[in-house]
């Protein structure tokens, strides 16, 4: 249990620190709605604030209701992910790592919601006029973690 806790703290620490550091840089040096082309025609750093969930889900709803709802569901998700993480046997280290990544991403975005009431996004991928919604390091960790989890499901390599 102790080594599993240390692994979680290491993964979560690196991801949350990287997430918060990059968001701090964006908030400090890139004005809201401004972009800097990194790979012209494909990837920009674009400062946006997302008051909603994934892909702007519920961004137009009542701010107080949205805040309470997202905080409640974020805390519930963090608790559930932690439970899955600690229930994952040592024989499934990639699955445990996936849960640690999902946990880390949820914590990174939860910090933004508590501090600002919205999440800072800045990674903007696109081809011509087709833009993927902007996201951040925390979102990336969640997505990668869910991808690993889905691979475990599809390959039927879940713990018994």
């Amino acid at each position: 249990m102790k080594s599993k806790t240390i692994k979680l703290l290491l993964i979560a620490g690196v991801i949350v620190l990287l997430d918060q550091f990059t968001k701090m840089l964006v908030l400090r040096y890139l004005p809201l709605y401004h972009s800097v082309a990194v790979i012209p025609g494909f990837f920009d750093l674009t400062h946006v604030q997302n008051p909603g969930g994934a892909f702007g889900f519920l961004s137009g709803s009542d701010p107080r209701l949205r805040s309470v709802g997202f905080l409640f569901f974020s805390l519930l998700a963090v608790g559930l992910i932690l439970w899955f993480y600690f229930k994952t046997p040592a024989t499934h280290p990639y699955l445990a790592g996936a849960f640690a990544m999902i946990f880390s991403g949820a914590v990174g975005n939860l910090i933004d919601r508590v501090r600002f009431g919205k999440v800072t996004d800045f990674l903007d991928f696109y081809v011509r006029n087709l833009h993927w919604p902007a996201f951040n390091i925390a979102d990336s960790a969640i997505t990668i973690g869910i991808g690993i989890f889905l691979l475990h499901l599809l390959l039927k390599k879940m713990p018994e």
Side-chain angles (χ1 to χ4, degrees):
M1 181 72 118
K2 185 177 178 183
S3 67
K4 203 165 196 176
T5 301
I6 291 170
K7 180 180 175 183
L8 176 68
L9 291 174
L10 284 172
I11 292 170
V14 168
I15 292 172
V16 171
L17 285 174
L18 183 60
D19 176 65
Q20 291 300 301
F21 179 70
T22 55
K23 289 173 180 173
M24 179 204 65
L25 291 175
V26 168
L27 288 167
R28 185 173 290 167
Y29 297 111
L30 188 60
L32 188 60
Y33 305 119
H34 283 74
S35 294
V36 174
V38 177
I39 302 173
F42 181 68
F43 173 58
D44 293 349
L45 295 176
T46 302
H47 182 179
V48 295
Q49 296 289 313
N50 181 2
F55 308 112
F57 178 68
L58 295 178
S59 60
S61 65
D62 178 83
R64 289 168 294 185
L65 180 62
R66 186 180 56 233
S67 292
V68 171
F70 279 126
L71 288 175
F72 172 77
F73 286 110
S74 294
L75 289 171
L76 181 66
V78 164
L80 192 59
I81 296 299
L82 278 176
W83 185 81
F84 283 129
Y85 175 81
F86 284 107
K87 288 294 184 184
T88 302
T91 56
H92 291 73
Y94 294 115
L95 183 59
F99 288 134
M101 292 176 78
I102 297 167
F103 169 79
S104 305
V107 168
N109 283 337
L110 182 60
I111 290 169
D112 279 19
R113 290 198 188 286
V114 169
R115 288 180 66 203
F116 308 116
K118 51 193 161 202
V119 175
T120 300
D121 290 327
F122 56 92
L123 301 171
D124 181 17
F125 286 89
Y126 60 97
V127 175
R128 294 189 182 146
N129 291 336
L130 302 172
H131 279 258
W132 185 257
F135 58 98
N136 57 47
I137 303 297
D139 298 332
S140 299
I142 292 169
T143 302
I144 293 166
I146 289 173
I148 295 168
F149 174 68
L150 290 174
L151 279 173
H152 273 268
L153 282 176
L154 292 172
L155 299 175
K156 298 185 177 167
K157 295 195 180 223
M158 297 296 287
E160 297 292 324

